[in-house]
Amino acid sequence: MDTGKIMQMARLLNDTGLYDRILLKDARIGVIGLGYVGLPMAALFADKGFNVIGADLNPAIVERVNIGRSPINEVGLMDLVRRVVVNKKKLIATTEGSEVVEKSDIVIIIVQTPIDENKQPDLRALEGACRTVGQNLRKGQLIVIESTIPPGTTRKMVVPLLETESGLSSGDDFFVAYSPERAIPTDTLNEIKTNSRIIGGITPESEELARILYQNITIGEVLTEDVSVVEAVKLMENTYRDVNIALANEFALLCHGMGIDAMKAINLANNHPRVNVLTPGPGVGGHCIPKDPYFLINEAERIGVDLKLINNARKLNESMPHHVLKLIDESLKDSGKDLNDSKIAVLGIAYKGNTDDKRDTPSEVVIKNLLKADINVFSHDPFVTQDFGGKFSNNMEEAVTGADCLVIMTDHDAYRDLDLIKLKSIMNPPGIIVDGRRLLKPEAVKEKGMKYFGVGC
Ligand code: SAJ
């Protein structure tokens, strides 16, 4: 370690004591935002022995956490929350962000950063959290942002807000770091614990404090870089996924036209050691991938760079629910049926398999468009409790009985092994299936005398 670094460390130890307190698990951690990643992360720190206080504006979430229950369906989270709240008494929740800042040495902000109807970043939740933190900030605290943010936000928005509201100076009086969450919903706990973590501090001290903090909850590498680079890394990761899915979707549209099975082709292509094409589907949903590329697109427009590939990938993925609508119409016409007189059963409301999250789900576009055209829509999902205006049921048989067309929108495990004989007996003949997720084998469906239409075949 060079002399400068040693002096910085010495300053940390002397001035704040925070370094030691993190190592001793004596630092108190506050988490603002108890959502899909905020709660799992808060619970993991609590499980490691830290006293954690979390804030969420939603009183229902706070109430549920405080009785030791998880408000979301995520593998292992219910048990973990019960353990840290009820048994270990290491995690409590409140609706007051100010209380979190007052009672903590470290505050992690992990709130939603959506886009608005014009696809511009909507940073109101982050701004509100930064103001609350700033107004209650004390010398020596470490503030970490985990939300996905547009390039430059830490230096241009977060730090100035914290300084203005507190009257303190970052670097001299308090520490700021950016470390985006990188865990995939449905495997969140495991990925927080094992994925490598990237950290950018606005000073070397901030970076070092954040580094030793996160080493407590991950066995993955903890990598550090300039804060602006780290902001760009997170956006690159999700944009890469969006573009890769768009490639799969475009190929699927081509294969559909050519009468070739895109899944067979992609699976074989992925056999090549340097190819990893993702899976085509009915669209890209969730809170992250459909909006993160727009953070890049907006910044590119501002500085006059034309992002052709990223823009077109987004448009293509946004068009996929409309391709499903086209498949529904085509499949009914093929059997001499009229969409207007048909009953459509949509299987899957969540944006992807085995989650209860329906934010930005492609099913919303499909269901709302069918309803707008006055079509009779029934829907089912094992995890959610309502859809977007159709007749929803948690009982699949109820949703599917009498349907002319069954549309698979979500890759829930529960839909992988559908009983085709049963389906045929309760659907209107011939029993049309539009498989947006390619969960069923076309040959198996056709063998039963039913009709199969899938994305990419
Ligand atoms: N999808 C496809 N085909 C695929 C994979 C996904 O159509 O081959 C669809 C899904 O069905 C879903 C959407 O894309 O509708 C997004 O799902 P996802 O599983 O790709 O991603 P998320 O949004 O659940 O989580 C992503 C992850 N990012 C990456 O893997 C690069 C996660 O690690 C991030 O933490 C998360 O975004 C986030 O919060 O940013």
mmCIF file of all heavy atoms in Angstrom, residues 18 32 97-109 129-145 158-177 202:
data_model
loop_
_atom_site.group_PDB
_atom_site.id
_atom_site.type_symbol
_atom_site.label_atom_id
_atom_site.label_comp_id
_atom_site.label_asym_id
_atom_site.label_seq_id
_atom_site.Cartn_x
_atom_site.Cartn_y
_atom_site.Cartn_z
ATOM 1 N N LEU A 18 -15.316 4.855 11.854
ATOM 2 C CA LEU A 18 -16.267 4.042 11.091
ATOM 3 C C LEU A 18 -15.610 2.783 10.527
ATOM 4 O O LEU A 18 -16.231 1.719 10.494
ATOM 5 C CB LEU A 18 -16.884 4.893 9.967
ATOM 6 C CG LEU A 18 -18.037 4.280 9.184
ATOM 7 C CD1 LEU A 18 -19.135 3.773 10.114
ATOM 8 C CD2 LEU A 18 -18.608 5.278 8.185
ATOM 9 N N ILE A 32 -32.722 2.859 2.910
ATOM 10 C CA ILE A 32 -33.914 3.597 2.483
ATOM 11 C C ILE A 32 -34.455 2.937 1.215
ATOM 12 O O ILE A 32 -33.805 2.955 0.171
ATOM 13 C CB ILE A 32 -33.587 5.090 2.274
ATOM 14 C CG1 ILE A 32 -33.151 5.693 3.615
ATOM 15 C CG2 ILE A 32 -34.795 5.828 1.681
ATOM 16 C CD1 ILE A 32 -33.006 7.182 3.635
ATOM 17 N N GLY A 97 -37.851 8.113 6.914
ATOM 18 C CA GLY A 97 -36.466 8.123 6.422
ATOM 19 C C GLY A 97 -35.549 8.876 7.383
ATOM 20 O O GLY A 97 -34.389 8.490 7.590
ATOM 21 N N SER A 98 -36.071 9.946 7.992
ATOM 22 C CA SER A 98 -35.223 10.765 8.884
ATOM 23 C C SER A 98 -34.751 9.938 10.088
ATOM 24 O O SER A 98 -33.611 10.059 10.528
ATOM 25 C CB SER A 98 -35.995 11.995 9.353
ATOM 26 O OG SER A 98 -37.210 11.587 9.931
ATOM 27 N N GLU A 99 -35.642 9.057 10.581
ATOM 28 C CA GLU A 99 -35.282 8.208 11.729
ATOM 29 C C GLU A 99 -34.112 7.284 11.359
ATOM 30 O O GLU A 99 -33.204 7.047 12.155
ATOM 31 C CB GLU A 99 -36.519 7.379 12.117
ATOM 32 C CG GLU A 99 -36.366 6.626 13.418
ATOM 33 C CD GLU A 99 -37.560 5.695 13.662
ATOM 34 O OE1 GLU A 99 -38.668 5.923 13.095
ATOM 35 O OE2 GLU A 99 -37.374 4.716 14.412
ATOM 36 N N VAL A 100 -34.172 6.790 10.113
ATOM 37 C CA VAL A 100 -33.110 5.894 9.627
ATOM 38 C C VAL A 100 -31.765 6.617 9.634
ATOM 39 O O VAL A 100 -30.756 6.085 10.080
ATOM 40 C CB VAL A 100 -33.464 5.385 8.202
ATOM 41 C CG1 VAL A 100 -32.246 4.799 7.512
ATOM 42 C CG2 VAL A 100 -34.570 4.359 8.274
ATOM 43 N N VAL A 101 -31.767 7.867 9.158
ATOM 44 C CA VAL A 101 -30.502 8.613 9.080
ATOM 45 C C VAL A 101 -29.989 8.922 10.494
ATOM 46 O O VAL A 101 -28.800 8.778 10.783
ATOM 47 C CB VAL A 101 -30.678 9.924 8.275
ATOM 48 C CG1 VAL A 101 -29.312 10.558 8.005
ATOM 49 C CG2 VAL A 101 -31.411 9.667 6.971
ATOM 50 N N GLU A 102 -30.923 9.305 11.376
ATOM 51 C CA GLU A 102 -30.523 9.635 12.751
ATOM 52 C C GLU A 102 -29.906 8.428 13.458
ATOM 53 O O GLU A 102 -28.963 8.569 14.222
ATOM 54 C CB GLU A 102 -31.745 10.101 13.563
ATOM 55 C CG GLU A 102 -32.106 11.563 13.320
ATOM 56 C CD GLU A 102 -33.564 11.848 13.687
ATOM 57 O OE1 GLU A 102 -34.150 11.075 14.476
ATOM 58 O OE2 GLU A 102 -34.118 12.831 13.153
ATOM 59 N N LYS A 103 -30.468 7.233 13.200
ATOM 60 C CA LYS A 103 -30.043 6.056 13.962
ATOM 61 C C LYS A 103 -28.935 5.248 13.289
ATOM 62 O O LYS A 103 -28.615 4.158 13.743
ATOM 63 C CB LYS A 103 -31.257 5.148 14.207
ATOM 64 C CG LYS A 103 -32.267 5.780 15.150
ATOM 65 C CD LYS A 103 -33.391 4.826 15.478
ATOM 66 C CE LYS A 103 -34.302 5.415 16.544
ATOM 67 N NZ LYS A 103 -35.605 4.769 16.604
ATOM 68 N N SER A 104 -28.381 5.757 12.165
ATOM 69 C CA SER A 104 -27.404 4.948 11.427
ATOM 70 C C SER A 104 -26.062 5.650 11.280
ATOM 71 O O SER A 104 -25.967 6.867 11.340
ATOM 72 C CB SER A 104 -27.930 4.648 10.025
ATOM 73 O OG SER A 104 -29.187 4.048 10.097
ATOM 74 N N ASP A 105 -25.032 4.818 11.031
ATOM 75 C CA ASP A 105 -23.711 5.349 10.684
ATOM 76 C C ASP A 105 -23.536 5.290 9.164
ATOM 77 O O ASP A 105 -22.790 6.056 8.586
ATOM 78 C CB ASP A 105 -22.626 4.488 11.338
ATOM 79 C CG ASP A 105 -22.812 4.430 12.847
ATOM 80 O OD1 ASP A 105 -22.726 5.485 13.482
ATOM 81 O OD2 ASP A 105 -23.104 3.325 13.366
ATOM 82 N N ILE A 106 -24.244 4.336 8.571
ATOM 83 C CA ILE A 106 -24.164 4.141 7.118
ATOM 84 C C ILE A 106 -25.591 4.153 6.588
ATOM 85 O O ILE A 106 -26.469 3.496 7.156
ATOM 86 C CB ILE A 106 -23.543 2.759 6.791
ATOM 87 C CG1 ILE A 106 -22.104 2.706 7.311
ATOM 88 C CG2 ILE A 106 -23.596 2.458 5.300
ATOM 89 C CD1 ILE A 106 -21.565 1.300 7.456
ATOM 90 N N VAL A 107 -25.844 4.904 5.509
ATOM 91 C CA VAL A 107 -27.186 4.899 4.920
ATOM 92 C C VAL A 107 -27.078 4.437 3.470
ATOM 93 O O VAL A 107 -26.329 5.020 2.674
ATOM 94 C CB VAL A 107 -27.838 6.300 4.955
ATOM 95 C CG1 VAL A 107 -29.240 6.243 4.355
ATOM 96 C CG2 VAL A 107 -27.900 6.842 6.381
ATOM 97 N N ILE A 108 -27.809 3.376 3.147
ATOM 98 C CA ILE A 108 -27.834 2.866 1.772
ATOM 99 C C ILE A 108 -29.165 3.265 1.153
ATOM 100 O O ILE A 108 -30.225 2.966 1.711
ATOM 101 C CB ILE A 108 -27.668 1.327 1.753
ATOM 102 C CG1 ILE A 108 -26.320 0.944 2.391
ATOM 103 C CG2 ILE A 108 -27.767 0.796 0.333
ATOM 104 C CD1 ILE A 108 -26.125 -0.544 2.620
ATOM 105 N N ILE A 109 -29.099 3.965 0.021
ATOM 106 C CA ILE A 109 -30.343 4.391 -0.647
ATOM 107 C C ILE A 109 -30.588 3.467 -1.829
ATOM 108 O O ILE A 109 -29.742 3.344 -2.726
ATOM 109 C CB ILE A 109 -30.246 5.854 -1.128
ATOM 110 C CG1 ILE A 109 -29.972 6.795 0.058
ATOM 111 C CG2 ILE A 109 -31.520 6.269 -1.863
ATOM 112 C CD1 ILE A 109 -29.796 8.262 -0.332
ATOM 113 N N ALA A 129 -35.101 11.047 -1.304
ATOM 114 C CA ALA A 129 -34.298 10.312 -0.314
ATOM 115 C C ALA A 129 -33.028 11.096 0.011
ATOM 116 O O ALA A 129 -32.630 11.198 1.179
ATOM 117 C CB ALA A 129 -33.955 8.923 -0.856
ATOM 118 N N CYS A 130 -32.393 11.669 -1.013
ATOM 119 C CA CYS A 130 -31.153 12.435 -0.774
ATOM 120 C C CYS A 130 -31.441 13.666 0.091
ATOM 121 O O CYS A 130 -30.630 14.029 0.956
ATOM 122 C CB CYS A 130 -30.523 12.881 -2.094
ATOM 123 S SG CYS A 130 -29.762 11.529 -2.997
ATOM 124 N N ARG A 131 -32.595 14.310 -0.138
ATOM 125 C CA ARG A 131 -32.930 15.490 0.687
ATOM 126 C C ARG A 131 -33.109 15.072 2.153
ATOM 127 O O ARG A 131 -32.600 15.708 3.060
ATOM 128 C CB ARG A 131 -34.220 16.150 0.188
ATOM 129 C CG ARG A 131 -34.012 16.964 -1.045
ATOM 130 C CD ARG A 131 -35.198 17.893 -1.334
ATOM 131 N NE ARG A 131 -35.114 18.365 -2.701
ATOM 132 C CZ ARG A 131 -34.277 19.303 -3.122
ATOM 133 N NH1 ARG A 131 -33.461 19.895 -2.265
ATOM 134 N NH2 ARG A 131 -34.242 19.662 -4.395
ATOM 135 N N THR A 132 -33.859 13.977 2.348
ATOM 136 C CA THR A 132 -34.069 13.496 3.718
ATOM 137 C C THR A 132 -32.736 13.172 4.386
ATOM 138 O O THR A 132 -32.497 13.560 5.529
ATOM 139 C CB THR A 132 -34.950 12.221 3.708
ATOM 140 O OG1 THR A 132 -36.156 12.526 3.018
ATOM 141 C CG2 THR A 132 -35.272 11.731 5.103
ATOM 142 N N VAL A 133 -31.878 12.475 3.643
ATOM 143 C CA VAL A 133 -30.569 12.118 4.216
ATOM 144 C C VAL A 133 -29.785 13.393 4.498
ATOM 145 O O VAL A 133 -29.244 13.575 5.595
ATOM 146 C CB VAL A 133 -29.776 11.177 3.271
ATOM 147 C CG1 VAL A 133 -28.374 10.928 3.806
ATOM 148 C CG2 VAL A 133 -30.516 9.856 3.092
ATOM 149 N N GLY A 134 -29.757 14.310 3.525
ATOM 150 C CA GLY A 134 -29.004 15.555 3.689
ATOM 151 C C GLY A 134 -29.462 16.343 4.907
ATOM 152 O O GLY A 134 -28.643 16.833 5.697
ATOM 153 N N GLN A 135 -30.782 16.439 5.095
ATOM 154 C CA GLN A 135 -31.316 17.240 6.211
ATOM 155 C C GLN A 135 -30.965 16.651 7.582
ATOM 156 O O GLN A 135 -31.037 17.343 8.587
ATOM 157 C CB GLN A 135 -32.841 17.362 6.077
ATOM 158 C CG GLN A 135 -33.244 18.357 5.003
ATOM 159 C CD GLN A 135 -34.620 18.075 4.416
ATOM 160 O OE1 GLN A 135 -35.379 17.267 4.966
ATOM 161 N NE2 GLN A 135 -34.945 18.720 3.313
ATOM 162 N N ASN A 136 -30.640 15.364 7.602
ATOM 163 C CA ASN A 136 -30.355 14.704 8.889
ATOM 164 C C ASN A 136 -28.914 14.198 8.996
ATOM 165 O O ASN A 136 -28.577 13.474 9.935
ATOM 166 C CB ASN A 136 -31.327 13.529 9.080
ATOM 167 C CG ASN A 136 -32.767 14.001 9.135
ATOM 168 O OD1 ASN A 136 -33.223 14.468 10.158
ATOM 169 N ND2 ASN A 136 -33.472 13.945 8.009
ATOM 170 N N LEU A 137 -28.114 14.588 8.030
ATOM 171 C CA LEU A 137 -26.745 14.051 7.932
ATOM 172 C C LEU A 137 -25.858 14.519 9.089
ATOM 173 O O LEU A 137 -25.942 15.671 9.520
ATOM 174 C CB LEU A 137 -26.153 14.538 6.605
ATOM 175 C CG LEU A 137 -24.923 13.857 6.049
ATOM 176 C CD1 LEU A 137 -25.197 12.405 5.720
ATOM 177 C CD2 LEU A 137 -24.490 14.561 4.756
ATOM 178 N N ARG A 138 -25.001 13.589 9.559
ATOM 179 C CA ARG A 138 -24.008 13.965 10.588
ATOM 180 C C ARG A 138 -22.609 13.726 10.034
ATOM 181 O O ARG A 138 -22.420 12.925 9.125
ATOM 182 C CB ARG A 138 -24.177 13.079 11.833
ATOM 183 C CG ARG A 138 -25.461 13.233 12.562
ATOM 184 C CD ARG A 138 -25.435 12.402 13.849
ATOM 185 N NE ARG A 138 -24.923 11.048 13.668
ATOM 186 C CZ ARG A 138 -25.666 10.030 13.246
ATOM 187 N NH1 ARG A 138 -26.939 10.206 12.954
ATOM 188 N NH2 ARG A 138 -25.130 8.819 13.124
ATOM 189 N N LYS A 139 -21.656 14.391 10.640
ATOM 190 C CA LYS A 139 -20.263 14.177 10.239
ATOM 191 C C LYS A 139 -19.887 12.713 10.417
ATOM 192 O O LYS A 139 -20.302 12.084 11.387
ATOM 193 C CB LYS A 139 -19.332 15.038 11.090
ATOM 194 C CG LYS A 139 -19.263 16.470 10.627
ATOM 195 C CD LYS A 139 -18.096 17.191 11.274
ATOM 196 C CE LYS A 139 -18.008 18.587 10.690
ATOM 197 N NZ LYS A 139 -16.837 19.317 11.134
ATOM 198 N N GLY A 140 -19.107 12.194 9.461
ATOM 199 C CA GLY A 140 -18.577 10.833 9.595
ATOM 200 C C GLY A 140 -19.481 9.756 9.025
ATOM 201 O O GLY A 140 -19.104 8.586 9.015
ATOM 202 N N GLN A 141 -20.665 10.090 8.514
ATOM 203 C CA GLN A 141 -21.547 9.047 7.963
ATOM 204 C C GLN A 141 -21.129 8.667 6.539
ATOM 205 O O GLN A 141 -20.570 9.494 5.805
ATOM 206 C CB GLN A 141 -23.011 9.531 7.953
ATOM 207 C CG GLN A 141 -23.685 9.449 9.325
ATOM 208 C CD GLN A 141 -25.108 9.974 9.302
ATOM 209 O OE1 GLN A 141 -25.362 11.071 8.802
ATOM 210 N NE2 GLN A 141 -26.037 9.212 9.855
ATOM 211 N N LEU A 142 -21.425 7.440 6.184
ATOM 212 C CA LEU A 142 -21.194 6.962 4.813
ATOM 213 C C LEU A 142 -22.546 6.806 4.129
ATOM 214 O O LEU A 142 -23.439 6.140 4.660
ATOM 215 C CB LEU A 142 -20.473 5.599 4.838
ATOM 216 C CG LEU A 142 -20.442 4.823 3.506
ATOM 217 C CD1 LEU A 142 -19.591 5.523 2.454
ATOM 218 C CD2 LEU A 142 -19.919 3.391 3.731
ATOM 219 N N ILE A 143 -22.696 7.416 2.943
ATOM 220 C CA ILE A 143 -23.934 7.286 2.175
ATOM 221 C C ILE A 143 -23.617 6.496 0.902
ATOM 222 O O ILE A 143 -22.710 6.860 0.149
ATOM 223 C CB ILE A 143 -24.497 8.683 1.764
ATOM 224 C CG1 ILE A 143 -24.474 9.666 2.947
ATOM 225 C CG2 ILE A 143 -25.890 8.552 1.147
ATOM 226 C CD1 ILE A 143 -25.225 9.226 4.183
ATOM 227 N N VAL A 144 -24.381 5.418 0.669
ATOM 228 C CA VAL A 144 -24.162 4.606 -0.537
ATOM 229 C C VAL A 144 -25.440 4.619 -1.370
ATOM 230 O O VAL A 144 -26.537 4.387 -0.844
ATOM 231 C CB VAL A 144 -23.819 3.140 -0.184
ATOM 232 C CG1 VAL A 144 -23.467 2.366 -1.457
ATOM 233 C CG2 VAL A 144 -22.672 3.065 0.802
ATOM 234 N N ILE A 145 -25.289 4.865 -2.664
ATOM 235 C CA ILE A 145 -26.443 4.771 -3.575
ATOM 236 C C ILE A 145 -26.359 3.421 -4.272
ATOM 237 O O ILE A 145 -25.311 3.057 -4.821
ATOM 238 C CB ILE A 145 -26.404 5.897 -4.647
ATOM 239 C CG1 ILE A 145 -26.204 7.280 -4.008
ATOM 240 C CG2 ILE A 145 -27.665 5.864 -5.523
ATOM 241 C CD1 ILE A 145 -27.279 7.723 -3.071
ATOM 242 N N VAL A 158 -26.478 13.719 -6.575
ATOM 243 C CA VAL A 158 -26.481 13.178 -5.207
ATOM 244 C C VAL A 158 -25.608 14.026 -4.272
ATOM 245 O O VAL A 158 -26.068 14.527 -3.239
ATOM 246 C CB VAL A 158 -26.016 11.703 -5.204
ATOM 247 C CG1 VAL A 158 -25.855 11.184 -3.787
ATOM 248 C CG2 VAL A 158 -27.009 10.836 -5.983
ATOM 249 N N VAL A 159 -24.343 14.209 -4.655
ATOM 250 C CA VAL A 159 -23.411 14.933 -3.778
ATOM 251 C C VAL A 159 -23.873 16.385 -3.550
ATOM 252 O O VAL A 159 -23.962 16.830 -2.395
ATOM 253 C CB VAL A 159 -21.958 14.854 -4.337
ATOM 254 C CG1 VAL A 159 -21.034 15.799 -3.593
ATOM 255 C CG2 VAL A 159 -21.454 13.415 -4.235
ATOM 256 N N PRO A 160 -24.227 17.146 -4.616
ATOM 257 C CA PRO A 160 -24.680 18.523 -4.373
ATOM 258 C C PRO A 160 -25.903 18.594 -3.450
ATOM 259 O O PRO A 160 -25.977 19.458 -2.578
ATOM 260 C CB PRO A 160 -25.028 19.046 -5.773
ATOM 261 C CG PRO A 160 -24.227 18.213 -6.704
ATOM 262 C CD PRO A 160 -24.103 16.869 -6.064
ATOM 263 N N LEU A 161 -26.867 17.648 -3.634
ATOM 264 C CA LEU A 161 -28.065 17.670 -2.773
ATOM 265 C C LEU A 161 -27.696 17.430 -1.308
ATOM 266 O O LEU A 161 -28.179 18.123 -0.408
ATOM 267 C CB LEU A 161 -29.040 16.575 -3.208
ATOM 268 C CG LEU A 161 -30.111 16.948 -4.215
ATOM 269 C CD1 LEU A 161 -30.905 15.715 -4.615
ATOM 270 C CD2 LEU A 161 -31.040 18.002 -3.649
ATOM 271 N N LEU A 162 -26.842 16.412 -1.095
ATOM 272 C CA LEU A 162 -26.440 16.096 0.286
ATOM 273 C C LEU A 162 -25.711 17.285 0.917
ATOM 274 O O LEU A 162 -25.940 17.634 2.083
ATOM 275 C CB LEU A 162 -25.539 14.853 0.314
ATOM 276 C CG LEU A 162 -26.188 13.523 -0.097
ATOM 277 C CD1 LEU A 162 -25.139 12.413 -0.196
ATOM 278 C CD2 LEU A 162 -27.284 13.111 0.892
ATOM 279 N N GLU A 163 -24.850 17.946 0.130
ATOM 280 C CA GLU A 163 -24.077 19.077 0.671
ATOM 281 C C GLU A 163 -24.978 20.278 0.953
ATOM 282 O O GLU A 163 -24.887 20.904 2.011
ATOM 283 C CB GLU A 163 -22.957 19.468 -0.309
ATOM 284 C CG GLU A 163 -21.869 18.404 -0.376
ATOM 285 C CD GLU A 163 -20.656 18.827 -1.194
ATOM 286 O OE1 GLU A 163 -20.812 19.678 -2.094
ATOM 287 O OE2 GLU A 163 -19.558 18.297 -0.918
ATOM 288 N N THR A 164 -25.871 20.580 0.017
ATOM 289 C CA THR A 164 -26.738 21.760 0.208
ATOM 290 C C THR A 164 -27.653 21.567 1.401
ATOM 291 O O THR A 164 -27.833 22.465 2.227
ATOM 292 C CB THR A 164 -27.629 21.982 -1.045
ATOM 293 O OG1 THR A 164 -26.845 21.759 -2.195
ATOM 294 C CG2 THR A 164 -28.219 23.377 -1.091
ATOM 295 N N GLU A 165 -28.251 20.383 1.480
ATOM 296 C CA GLU A 165 -29.221 20.153 2.564
ATOM 297 C C GLU A 165 -28.548 20.088 3.933
ATOM 298 O O GLU A 165 -29.146 20.446 4.934
ATOM 299 C CB GLU A 165 -30.001 18.852 2.313
ATOM 300 C CG GLU A 165 -30.898 18.874 1.088
ATOM 301 C CD GLU A 165 -32.098 19.816 1.224
ATOM 302 O OE1 GLU A 165 -32.510 20.122 2.358
ATOM 303 O OE2 GLU A 165 -32.616 20.247 0.177
ATOM 304 N N SER A 166 -27.295 19.595 3.966
ATOM 305 C CA SER A 166 -26.641 19.400 5.269
ATOM 306 C C SER A 166 -25.739 20.562 5.664
ATOM 307 O O SER A 166 -25.437 20.752 6.845
ATOM 308 C CB SER A 166 -25.786 18.124 5.238
ATOM 309 O OG SER A 166 -24.730 18.279 4.307
ATOM 310 N N GLY A 167 -25.265 21.300 4.671
ATOM 311 C CA GLY A 167 -24.282 22.337 4.960
ATOM 312 C C GLY A 167 -22.905 21.737 5.243
ATOM 313 O O GLY A 167 -21.981 22.445 5.644
ATOM 314 N N LEU A 168 -22.764 20.431 5.015
ATOM 315 C CA LEU A 168 -21.478 19.759 5.236
ATOM 316 C C LEU A 168 -20.782 19.538 3.887
ATOM 317 O O LEU A 168 -21.399 19.680 2.828
ATOM 318 C CB LEU A 168 -21.693 18.413 5.937
ATOM 319 C CG LEU A 168 -22.324 18.470 7.333
ATOM 320 C CD1 LEU A 168 -22.619 17.060 7.836
ATOM 321 C CD2 LEU A 168 -21.420 19.211 8.317
ATOM 322 N N SER A 169 -19.529 19.123 3.954
ATOM 323 C CA SER A 169 -18.766 18.956 2.723
ATOM 324 C C SER A 169 -18.391 17.479 2.532
ATOM 325 O O SER A 169 -17.814 16.860 3.438
ATOM 326 C CB SER A 169 -17.526 19.843 2.828
ATOM 327 O OG SER A 169 -16.595 19.445 1.873
ATOM 328 N N SER A 170 -18.747 16.945 1.348
ATOM 329 C CA SER A 170 -18.443 15.525 1.099
ATOM 330 C C SER A 170 -16.927 15.365 1.007
ATOM 331 O O SER A 170 -16.232 16.241 0.519
ATOM 332 C CB SER A 170 -19.095 15.060 -0.194
ATOM 333 O OG SER A 170 -18.485 15.673 -1.285
ATOM 334 N N GLY A 171 -16.440 14.239 1.447
ATOM 335 C CA GLY A 171 -14.983 14.036 1.441
ATOM 336 C C GLY A 171 -14.392 14.503 2.753
ATOM 337 O O GLY A 171 -13.727 13.748 3.436
ATOM 338 N N ASP A 172 -14.678 15.741 3.146
ATOM 339 C CA ASP A 172 -14.145 16.236 4.423
ATOM 340 C C ASP A 172 -15.014 15.770 5.586
ATOM 341 O O ASP A 172 -14.515 15.350 6.628
ATOM 342 C CB ASP A 172 -14.125 17.773 4.440
ATOM 343 C CG ASP A 172 -13.122 18.309 3.432
ATOM 344 O OD1 ASP A 172 -12.133 17.606 3.178
ATOM 345 O OD2 ASP A 172 -13.366 19.403 2.883
ATOM 346 N N ASP A 173 -16.341 15.905 5.429
ATOM 347 C CA ASP A 173 -17.248 15.647 6.561
ATOM 348 C C ASP A 173 -17.990 14.312 6.479
ATOM 349 O O ASP A 173 -18.352 13.728 7.486
ATOM 350 C CB ASP A 173 -18.313 16.752 6.635
ATOM 351 C CG ASP A 173 -17.694 18.115 6.895
ATOM 352 O OD1 ASP A 173 -16.693 18.172 7.618
ATOM 353 O OD2 ASP A 173 -18.218 19.110 6.360
ATOM 354 N N PHE A 174 -18.284 13.901 5.274
ATOM 355 C CA PHE A 174 -19.005 12.628 5.131
ATOM 356 C C PHE A 174 -18.540 11.925 3.851
ATOM 357 O O PHE A 174 -17.833 12.521 3.034
ATOM 358 C CB PHE A 174 -20.527 12.834 5.145
ATOM 359 C CG PHE A 174 -21.077 13.644 3.992
ATOM 360 C CD1 PHE A 174 -21.572 13.027 2.864
ATOM 361 C CD2 PHE A 174 -21.099 15.042 4.047
ATOM 362 C CE1 PHE A 174 -22.080 13.767 1.806
ATOM 363 C CE2 PHE A 174 -21.605 15.791 2.992
ATOM 364 C CZ PHE A 174 -22.088 15.156 1.866
ATOM 365 N N PHE A 175 -18.945 10.674 3.703
ATOM 366 C CA PHE A 175 -18.436 9.837 2.610
ATOM 367 C C PHE A 175 -19.592 9.431 1.684
ATOM 368 O O PHE A 175 -20.690 9.162 2.164
ATOM 369 C CB PHE A 175 -17.778 8.580 3.168
ATOM 370 C CG PHE A 175 -16.739 8.881 4.217
ATOM 371 C CD1 PHE A 175 -17.060 8.842 5.571
ATOM 372 C CD2 PHE A 175 -15.451 9.226 3.848
ATOM 373 C CE1 PHE A 175 -16.111 9.130 6.533
ATOM 374 C CE2 PHE A 175 -14.490 9.518 4.804
ATOM 375 C CZ PHE A 175 -14.820 9.480 6.154
ATOM 376 N N VAL A 176 -19.316 9.382 0.371
ATOM 377 C CA VAL A 176 -20.358 8.980 -0.585
ATOM 378 C C VAL A 176 -19.783 7.946 -1.552
ATOM 379 O O VAL A 176 -18.678 8.122 -2.077
ATOM 380 C CB VAL A 176 -20.870 10.187 -1.410
ATOM 381 C CG1 VAL A 176 -21.960 9.742 -2.395
ATOM 382 C CG2 VAL A 176 -21.410 11.292 -0.509
ATOM 383 N N ALA A 177 -20.542 6.879 -1.780
ATOM 384 C CA ALA A 177 -20.109 5.866 -2.768
ATOM 385 C C ALA A 177 -21.313 5.410 -3.583
ATOM 386 O O ALA A 177 -22.457 5.526 -3.143
ATOM 387 C CB ALA A 177 -19.476 4.673 -2.059
ATOM 388 N N ILE A 202 -16.568 8.656 -4.077
ATOM 389 C CA ILE A 202 -16.195 9.987 -4.570
ATOM 390 C C ILE A 202 -14.836 10.422 -4.000
ATOM 391 O O ILE A 202 -14.245 11.382 -4.469
ATOM 392 C CB ILE A 202 -17.275 11.050 -4.330
ATOM 393 C CG1 ILE A 202 -17.553 11.200 -2.851
ATOM 394 C CG2 ILE A 202 -18.539 10.809 -5.101
ATOM 395 C CD1 ILE A 202 -17.860 12.646 -2.555
#
